[in-house]
Amino acid sequence: MKKMILLVATLLIAAGGYAESKDSLKVENVMGIDNPDRVTITESNNRMKVEIDGKKDNPDFRYVREVEISPSDVSVTKERNSDWDFNIPFRKHTEEQKRKRNAFVVKDFKIGLSTVQGAPDNMDVTMGSSWEITTPSFGWEYYPWKTRTSLSIGVACSWRNYRMTGKQRFIKDPGNDMSIGAYPEGADIQFSRIKVFSWSFPVMFTHQTKNNFSFSFGPIINFNTHASMKTRYKLNGEKFKLTDDNIHQTPVTVDIQASFGFNTLGFYVKYSPCKVLDTTYGPEFSALSVGVVIF
């Protein structure tokens, strides 16, 4: 930043006019700009154009000056400065890095609990036993307005579990239909669950305050590539495990997520209006999840 300020000062000295002698340079006009958001310098033949966008406490500030110089008047060392950054968790960012317009990001590791909405009365999913885990998303973040508001898109992996521990279980019949039914009489019940694996693509609108509070909202597109059913119980001293990997999940679903956070820890709520299973083959229900999000 010091180099940038010196560079701008040098150019503005040249722009303001000067009287030159062998041993001195008289400055007639100097302007100081604290913490500019962007400085653009354009050279063409013997002319130089300086554009300054934003300054301390005034992001809408703009200054443009075009001057005529000769190669011997001002010596400028050019520095190549990219508008990209790579944001990784727990790394402290400098002021210059915070002003980047684009960034590759790794964020939003989520652990939560799932429940169902609009399910049949006998489908008693236990939220305390139905876990959801989402890996950190890898993606791209863009700051279109030179503020702390960003748009992002990424990709992550997600596992969702819908688990019943009561007297009902998931049943897959020989005709490929899923239903909810009772355990055999006298069974020692453990659990019956459905698990769905997804490739998830979050598209988020995020705003962060100067105090590191943040709010995010947006859709998550899920490609549900695998789902399975598992039921465990004991009967007459014998253990039973019933599994099936072809339960006809809905191939593509969309979630709506909102999250609130401070620094690297937050809370999220996610609702999916889409049906978890293809209702041609199984019971009709949608999903709701709540949990914590880290970095």
Side-chain angles (χ1 to χ4, degrees), residues 219-281:
I220 301 175
I221 303 169
N222 303 296
F223 292 88
N224 306 309
T225 57
H226 180 75
S228 65
M229 180 200 76
K230 180 185 289 186
T231 299
R232 286 181 178 269
Y233 64 92
K234 296 179 182 179
L235 184 62
N236 299 325
E238 184 179 355
K239 295 181 180 179
F240 289 84
K241 182 176 75 171
L242 308 177
T243 62
D244 198 294
D245 292 333
N246 183 27
I247 62 173
H248 300 285
Q249 73 276 13
T250 302
V252 180
T253 56
V254 178
D255 303 334
I256 304 298
Q257 177 180 289
S259 64
F260 305 86
F262 175 70
N263 286 334
T264 59
L265 185 63
F267 172 81
Y268 77 90
V269 177
K270 183 169 61 177
Y271 172 66
S272 176
C274 303
K275 306 308 176 186
V276 175
L277 300 178
D278 184 339
T279 55
T280 304
Y281 297 94

Side-chain angles (χ1 to χ4, degrees), residues 142-181:
Y142 175 60
Y143 293 80
W145 302 290
K146 299 181 183 179
T147 64
R148 293 174 178 262
T149 301
S150 66
L151 301 173
S152 65
I153 185 170
V155 58
C157 296
S158 177
W159 291 264
R160 298 190 228 192
N161 196 35
Y162 307 100
R163 181 174 172 133
M164 295 191 296
T165 56
K167 295 183 179 181
Q168 302 296 314
R169 60 171 176 153
F170 296 105
I171 298 174
K172 175 78 176 292
D173 65 29
N176 283 329
D177 289 339
M178 289 277 297
S179 62
I180 309 297

